[in-house]
Amino acid sequence: MSCSSINTRHSAHNIGKTSAGGDRVYRIKKGSYEPGKQDQAEELAVGTIEQRISQIQTYFSNTEDLIVQKFDNQICSIVYVESLVKHESLQAYFMTPMLESGDRALEQLVRSTTAKLTNIYQIGKCMLEGCCVLLTENEQAAIIIRVPQSYERSIQEPKDEQVIKGPHDGFIENPVTNLYLLRKRLRNPKLKVKYFTMGKLTNTKVTMVYMDQIALPKLVAEAEKRLSSVDSDYLYSVGNINELLEEHPMSLFPQTLQTERPDRAVSYLMEGKIIIFVAGNPRALILPITFFAFYQSPDDYNTRWIIGSFYRIIRLISFVIAICLPAIYIAIVTYHSEVLPIGILYSVKVSLTYVPLPPLLEALVMQTILELLKEAAIRLPSPISQTIGIVGGLVIGTAVVEAQLVSHTMIVVIGLTAIASFATPINEFGTSLRVLGFPIMLAASAFGFFGIAIMLMLVFIHLCKIETLGIPYFAPFGPFEGKESIKDIFLRLPLWMVTRTSRDKGQGGTKHSLFGRWKRP
């Protein structure tokens, strides 16, 4: 008892399958703690108030922040964890009436309270959720009084997902507030919420949200199965859930999307996807997700469709630049210099004349320096991080060129590569692209353009192979699902051209216009 835009219709028959060919068990083992049946079955002693207080103190390991308040007439005592209750509420709704009315207030409270427990495990669980326990002489059961304390920051726009147009609010660490942000936008009774408690030591509250009758039942069942299969001593972040649920942990590509934007989360709910919140973490975990979702931004839908389509194409081009540009430069300089016009070739060769390092080592050194500067800028306070950016961009860049450690052309190539990776709306995906560039550079250094072609082929084979909750990661191209499914992939088409699918008892679907186009009379 507790006190408190890819349609996902495709590959539904694959839901529940794993790469190993069998059911997976998701585990974190960092200890051997597990509440035994004896702990969960222990009942409050039939005796004096002092005996029951001693029983609760023993359950909480005699911690010193477990407060016991006794009244002068000894008719009752109240027990609570000092840091988890709101003292103002406790004083206003219980302590003051008890001091003023005594037995009459206690009798009224006992009559009006329906939450009465005798199981020690359930009592402890309620106290850890911010409840007080009232023990009386005439009542063996503990009376539960909810007065939880709540410290939370105000709703703010996420710093790493800022938009020019659109809402400027974001999720916070409290799942209840996050659900409010979703229900404020989706005033629909089909928005369904399910709660899980994970971690034998942490007892972390996990919330799963989806739209009933829009999300595929098999998809929801598989997500519930995986969440229920998590066997963990601790769980305290969305990253833990992400690592436990992904089907291909060795892949460089993220298989779930994490966001702090309610508008983005609502759009994915309407596509039949599932959202997971973890108490104490402001990020929402969205699954299943596809490759092209990482290149869609809320700004695309808050501007005119031509402008949104232009920027989406720019982002997709940045994917190729981020993983291939340094490798192409290495291949040209090492093996294929004949592909350059004579003027550009002369400029490149002159810049390489006095550089002692081979092109591959040049690129690896500059990419490593770029990652070091990025990490330093993230870890340092904002005013100092801006200084680090200036020092890295101007001082170090100018110094290495003047010292003839790297060429001018390499500085331009690495700068364009960094800009292309930062153009990705989701930072985690951009980091994966920069890491992916290293093996492609090695292949280009060894085999030239042929090595780049082989590596790109392997990358796209991998993208077509992996799945998230049984949904192909590279959908709608792997496998191809028809021209209707690619309308919102490369271009952000006008809303009156977008269609949706209405499922008819699982027998395919009929398509009709989602938005009616205004016509001049």
Side-chain angles (χ1 to χ4, degrees):
M1 177 178 178
S2 176
C3 290
S4 42
S5 139
I6 299 295
N7 289 326
T8 55
R9 65 186 182 276
H10 43 243
S11 297
H13 62 280
N14 290 328
I15 294 175
K17 293 183 180 180
T18 65
S19 57
D23 292 337
R24 295 181 62 182
V25 178
Y26 307 88
R27 299 179 183 274
I28 294 180
K29 282 297 184 181
K30 283 271 182 130
S32 58
Y33 173 82
E34 183 172 2
K37 294 182 179 179
Q38 183 177 358
D39 295 334
Q40 298 188 22
E42 185 180 357
E43 299 288 325
L44 277 177
V46 179
T48 64
I49 294 178
E50 294 295 337
Q51 289 175 323
R52 283 175 276 169
I53 290 175
S54 177
Q55 220 175 343
I56 295 175
Q57 288 175 329
T58 302
Y59 181 81
F60 278 92
S61 304
N62 293 306
T63 178
E64 294 187 2
D65 66 339
L66 184 70
I67 305 301
V68 178
Q69 288 193 354
K70 302 177 182 179
F71 292 88
D72 294 338
N73 51 17
Q74 296 294 320
I75 59 174
C76 66
S77 295
I78 188 167
V79 186
Y80 57 89
V81 180
E82 183 180 21
S83 56
L84 298 179
V85 302
K86 190 171 184 178
H87 295 274
E88 294 82 0
S89 300
L90 181 63
Q91 185 72 26
Y93 298 117
F94 179 75
M95 304 297 288
T96 301
M98 282 296 298
L99 293 174
E100 292 178 354
S101 303
D103 295 346
R104 186 173 56 185
L106 177 61
E107 184 180 350
Q108 183 178 359
L109 180 63
V110 171
R111 271 201 318 268
S112 61
T113 303
T114 57
K116 299 178 182 179
L117 301 174
T118 58
N119 184 274
I120 288 290
Y121 177 76
Q122 293 178 349
I123 291 172
K125 186 176 180 181
C126 287
M127 292 179 66
L128 290 173
E129 292 177 2
C131 297
C132 293
V133 171
L134 178 64
L135 302 174
T136 65
E137 290 182 344
N138 301 325
E139 184 81 32
Q140 182 198 353
I143 299 171
I144 306 300
I145 306 171
R146 286 190 55 82
V147 281
Q149 180 62 279
S150 178
Y151 299 102
E152 58 185 54
R153 61 185 175 94
S154 59
I155 297 175
Q156 301 172 345
E157 183 179 13
K159 293 183 178 180
D160 60 343
E161 293 183 78
Q162 294 182 354
V163 296
I164 299 174
K165 297 181 179 180
H168 295 283
D169 55 354
F171 293 132
I172 63 172
E173 289 74 11
N174 190 343
V176 176
T177 305
N178 296 340
L179 289 176
Y180 158 75
L181 292 173
L182 293 180
R183 288 198 177 274
K184 185 176 70 171
R185 290 170 167 82
L186 275 177
R187 302 181 185 275
N188 193 309
K190 299 302 180 183
L191 183 63
K192 193 168 182 178
V193 179
K194 290 189 177 182
Y195 293 112
F196 300 84
T197 301
M198 298 184 182
K200 301 184 184 74
L201 291 171
T202 56
N203 289 313
T204 306
K205 188 176 183 180
V206 177
T207 307
M208 186 176 80
V209 187
Y210 61 94
M211 286 294 292
D212 198 19
Q213 298 182 0
I214 294 182
L216 280 175
K218 292 184 179 179
L219 199 68
V220 175
E222 177 65 16
E224 288 185 28
K225 175 185 173 183
R226 296 191 184 189
L227 288 173
S228 302
S229 300
V230 172
D231 185 12
S232 170
D233 283 350
Y234 66 90
L235 191 142
Y236 47 81
S237 72
V238 168
N240 295 146
I241 290 282
N242 181 25
E243 190 173 346
L244 292 170
L245 297 187
E246 62 183 2
E247 299 180 24
H248 304 274
M250 303 305 294
S251 174
L252 278 176
F253 294 96
Q255 294 150 56
T256 58
L257 189 148
Q258 298 182 26
T259 182
E260 295 183 41
R261 296 197 60 87
D263 55 338
R264 185 192 287 268
V266 167
S267 69
Y268 286 125
L269 283 174
M270 297 307 296
E271 292 177 9
K273 293 178 171 57
I274 298 169
I275 295 179
I276 297 175
F277 294 107
V278 176
N281 197 294
R283 290 187 171 272
L285 192 71
I286 299 172
L287 70 163
I289 206 67
T290 60
F291 171 86
F292 295 99
F294 291 97
Y295 284 94
Q296 297 174 352
S297 170
D299 271 334
D300 296 347
Y301 302 93
N302 293 320
T303 57
R304 300 186 67 248
W305 72 272
I306 298 177
I307 305 301
S309 299
F310 170 75
Y311 283 116
R312 184 173 294 180
I313 292 173
I314 292 294
R315 291 189 213 106
L316 290 170
I317 293 174
S318 73
F319 167 75
V320 179
I321 294 175
I323 65 174
C324 290
L325 186 59
I328 291 174
Y329 172 78
I330 292 171
I332 290 176
V333 171
T334 308
Y335 297 103
H336 309 286
S337 57
E338 69 277 2
V339 302
L340 293 177
I342 188 66
I344 299 177
L345 177 62
Y346 177 77
S347 176
V348 171
K349 288 295 185 181
V350 168
S351 67
L352 290 172
T353 304
Y354 300 103
V355 176
L357 302 177
L360 174 63
L361 198 54
E362 269 189 281
L364 292 177
V365 168
M366 290 307 300
Q367 285 279 51
T368 304
I369 291 175
L370 175 67
E371 292 300 321
L372 287 174
L373 290 172
K374 175 177 171 289
E375 279 297 303
I378 291 174
R379 308 304 167 199
L380 291 172
S382 297
I384 304 177
S385 65
Q386 295 174 4
T387 305
I388 288 291
I390 296 173
V391 170
L394 297 179
V395 178
I396 296 180
T398 304
V400 294
V401 172
E402 291 181 353
Q404 296 182 344
L405 297 177
V406 297
S407 64
H408 297 81
T409 312
M410 180 58 73
I411 295 292
V412 174
V413 168
I414 296 301
L416 289 175
T417 303
I419 292 173
S421 67
F422 295 146
T424 308
I426 304 299
N427 179 60
E428 183 182 7
F429 197 85
T431 304
S432 299
L433 297 184
R434 291 196 297 276
V435 175
L436 185 61
F438 285 97
I440 297 180
M441 285 191 290
L442 294 174
S445 177
F447 305 106
F449 285 156
F450 179 72
I452 296 176
I454 292 297
M455 289 300 298
L456 289 179
M457 183 179 67
L458 293 176
V459 167
F460 285 108
I461 288 174
H462 175 69
L463 288 174
C464 293
K465 179 183 177 182
I466 61 178
E467 297 179 346
T468 59
L469 285 185
I471 304 301
Y473 189 71
F474 206 55
F477 295 103
F480 185 67
E481 298 171 2
K483 63 180 183 179
E484 287 293 329
S485 60
I486 64 173
K487 282 190 173 181
D488 198 38
I489 300 299
F490 297 112
L491 300 177
R492 204 285 277 174
L493 295 182
L495 295 180
W496 46 267
M497 293 181 63
V498 178
T499 60
R500 68 179 178 183
T501 299
S502 299
R503 298 177 180 82
D504 183 14
K505 299 180 181 179
Q507 304 289 330
T510 57
K511 294 185 176 179
H512 53 276
S513 178
L514 177 59
F515 295 92
R517 186 181 180 187
W518 178 81
K519 296 181 179 180
R520 188 180 299 276

